[in-house]
Amino acid sequence: MGEFISFLQNNLADFWTYTGMHNATVGHLVMILVGIVFIYLAVAKEFEPMLLIPIGFGMLIGNIPFNMEAGLKVGIYEEGSVLNILYQGVTSGWYPPLIFLGIGAMTDFSALISNPKLMLIGAAAQFGIFGAYMIALTLGFDPMQAGAIGIIGGADGPTAIFLSSKLAPNLMGAIAVSAYSYMALVPVIQPPIMRALTTKKERLIRMKAPRAVSHTEKVMFPIVGLLLTCFLVPSGLPLLGMLFFGNLLKESGVTRRLAETARGPLIDTITILLGLTVGASTQASEFLTLDSILIFGLGALSFVIATTSGVLFVKLFNLVLPKDNQINPLIGNAGVSAVPDSARISQVIGLEYDPRNYLLMHAMGPNVAGVIGSAVAAGILLGFLL
């Protein structure tokens, strides 16, 4: 009887070493709390639920404590585990181009085609990327890490993941979570900046209705867009190629099934896998570092710089535009590529000051230009850093 009790005690003691209670650290509990906050923001506040729920739940999965020496192969950083295999789509850069394929298949570039000068706003907003890059260099990050951090300013999660997987894989978790967090916080971050940088008179500017765009123009745009951007920045081909291919599937009118697959089941599946594995990569032992804190701070700063650059560029641009053809500076924020949330913010703020001034279609021009711009910026950084 005594031997049985001793055997039982030893087995219970061994079992205890495998439990999460035994292996939990303060870091695990902190990250689990952060994951719960993400889920709360998605459910209660409806902040980018398609992104924050997978990422938030992934944080819970990634921070379940376990005995690392037991060889259970359940952690995302354990080679051969299921999570590790799924995470290879992030670390190897497979998921972002597929996301861009879906984005292209659901994006209407008509607003940009009808008013090409709006492309300049999308370009101006990318200053946030290069501004953050220079600040990261001054804080001691090496050039490749600084480039990966700077891309957060583009407010484009897939691009941030793609670039960081090439330049700074060790920082990818912090960069990805930071990028998606600030994308979700667009309705919180951008309005105060927009109000602070514009006058009441500027907010009341009414823009001319966009002209009708022909089917031929819509079909030609992805072809011309691919050739122009990728001849200039070939390193952006994985993202830009898939973006324009997806758009051609949509606009050709003869590949409806392919377009529907790209913008529906395909992008939904990849979004689930991307969000869940990025969230799981925030394992406390790998994620809670001083660099992660600095990255979050730099991410916020780059987002502020990008929004500010877009609004101020429109104000300067208006100085050389005829008075009857001026641009409302409230669409300057849409130059960041958080589609379509930043464009919606332009609409919401515009309606506050003039209930009949509908800016959404105008704001979609710089918004989709920002998608192209962030991918081009990523290609530029890849070109001179690798």
Side-chain angles (χ1 to χ4, degrees):
M1 185 66 178
E3 291 181 358
F4 174 75
I5 292 174
S6 178
F7 173 78
L8 185 61
Q9 286 175 337
N10 289 336
N11 275 271
L12 288 174
D14 287 342
F15 174 74
W16 175 251
T17 65
Y18 283 88
T19 65
M21 286 78 77
H22 176 77
N23 293 285
T25 65
V26 173
H28 288 116
L29 300 179
V30 168
M31 292 310 303
I32 286 172
L33 181 60
V34 173
I36 292 172
V37 170
F38 271 42
I39 295 171
Y40 167 78
L41 292 174
V43 176
K45 304 296 183 181
E46 296 188 12
F47 286 174
E48 289 286 353
M50 299 283 282
L51 298 174
L52 291 193
I53 285 182
I55 291 174
F57 200 82
M59 287 180 173
L60 303 186
I61 291 175
N63 285 282
I64 298 296
F66 61 92
N67 188 338
M68 297 288 290
E69 298 176 357
L72 299 175
K73 289 191 178 296
V74 295
I76 194 166
Y77 294 110
E78 291 183 281
E79 189 173 349
S81 71
V82 173
L83 283 175
N84 179 263
I85 292 169
L86 294 176
Y87 190 49
Q88 289 177 22
V90 177
T91 56
S92 301
W94 306 336
Y95 293 155
L98 294 175
I99 293 282
F100 263 66
L101 175 65
I103 291 172
M106 65 174 64
T107 301
D108 185 352
F109 286 98
S110 295
L112 184 60
I113 298 171
S114 68
N115 194 356
K117 63 176 177 286
L118 297 179
M119 175 68 80
L120 298 175
I121 304 173
Q126 305 315 309
F127 183 74
I129 295 173
F130 298 100
Y133 169 72
M134 291 183 285
I135 295 171
L137 285 176
T138 63
L139 291 177
F141 289 97
D142 66 49
M144 294 179 72
Q145 291 175 329
I149 293 168
I151 202 68
I152 298 172
D156 189 335
T159 302
I161 291 170
F162 179 79
L163 189 64
S164 58
S165 71
K166 305 295 183 185
L167 299 182
N170 60 314
L171 301 180
M172 184 165 50
I175 290 170
V177 172
S178 180
Y180 280 117
S181 297
Y182 293 123
M183 285 173 65
L185 291 174
V186 161
V188 176
I189 297 173
Q190 288 196 324
I193 300 172
M194 296 161 65
R195 293 189 182 99
L197 296 178
T198 56
T199 65
K200 185 176 181 180
K201 182 180 178 181
E202 289 173 329
R203 298 174 203 139
L204 296 175
I205 292 175
R206 290 199 177 188
M207 299 174 63
K208 292 181 179 179
R211 69 173 179 82
V213 176
S214 69
H215 177 252
T216 301
E217 289 176 292
K218 290 182 178 181
V219 172
M220 290 297 298
F221 179 80
I223 299 171
V224 174
L226 172 70
L227 297 177
L228 287 179
T229 57
C230 291
F231 265 77
L232 180 65
V233 188
S235 48
L237 186 59
L239 298 178
L240 291 165
M242 296 298 269
L243 175 73
F244 288 122
F245 175 52
N247 189 245
L248 182 60
L249 293 178
K250 172 183 180 292
E251 301 298 356
S252 68
V254 293
T255 52
R256 182 174 300 174
R257 285 173 53 192
L258 299 181
E260 289 177 352
T261 298
R263 63 173 172 255
L266 178 62
I267 196 171
D268 289 344
T269 301
I270 300 301
T271 298
I272 290 170
L273 296 175
L274 179 67
L276 193 69
T277 52
V278 163
S281 73
T282 63
Q283 192 171 298
S285 58
E286 304 284 337
F287 188 79
L288 287 179
T289 64
L290 178 60
D291 282 349
S292 295
I293 296 172
L294 287 175
I295 287 168
F296 267 80
L298 286 169
L301 182 60
S302 65
F303 201 82
V304 169
I305 294 172
T307 304
T308 301
S309 300
V311 175
L312 291 181
F313 175 79
V314 176
K315 289 167 68 76
L316 291 173
F317 198 21
N318 279 340
L319 296 177
V320 298
L321 291 176
K323 287 190 175 182
D324 62 345
N325 196 29
Q326 293 200 328
I327 301 171
N328 191 313
L330 289 178
I331 73 169
N333 74 298
V336 300
S337 62
V339 181
D341 286 349
S342 53
R344 288 175 182 160
I345 296 302
S346 304
Q347 167 90 341
V348 169
I349 302 300
L351 291 176
E352 284 183 10
Y353 296 92
D354 182 352
R356 296 183 179 180
N357 193 8
Y358 299 98
L359 295 174
L360 183 61
M361 284 306 299
H362 300 291
M364 284 304 298
N367 207 187
V368 297
V371 176
I372 299 171
S374 65
V376 169
I380 292 171
L381 289 169
L382 272 179
F384 74 79
L385 291 176
L386 277 184

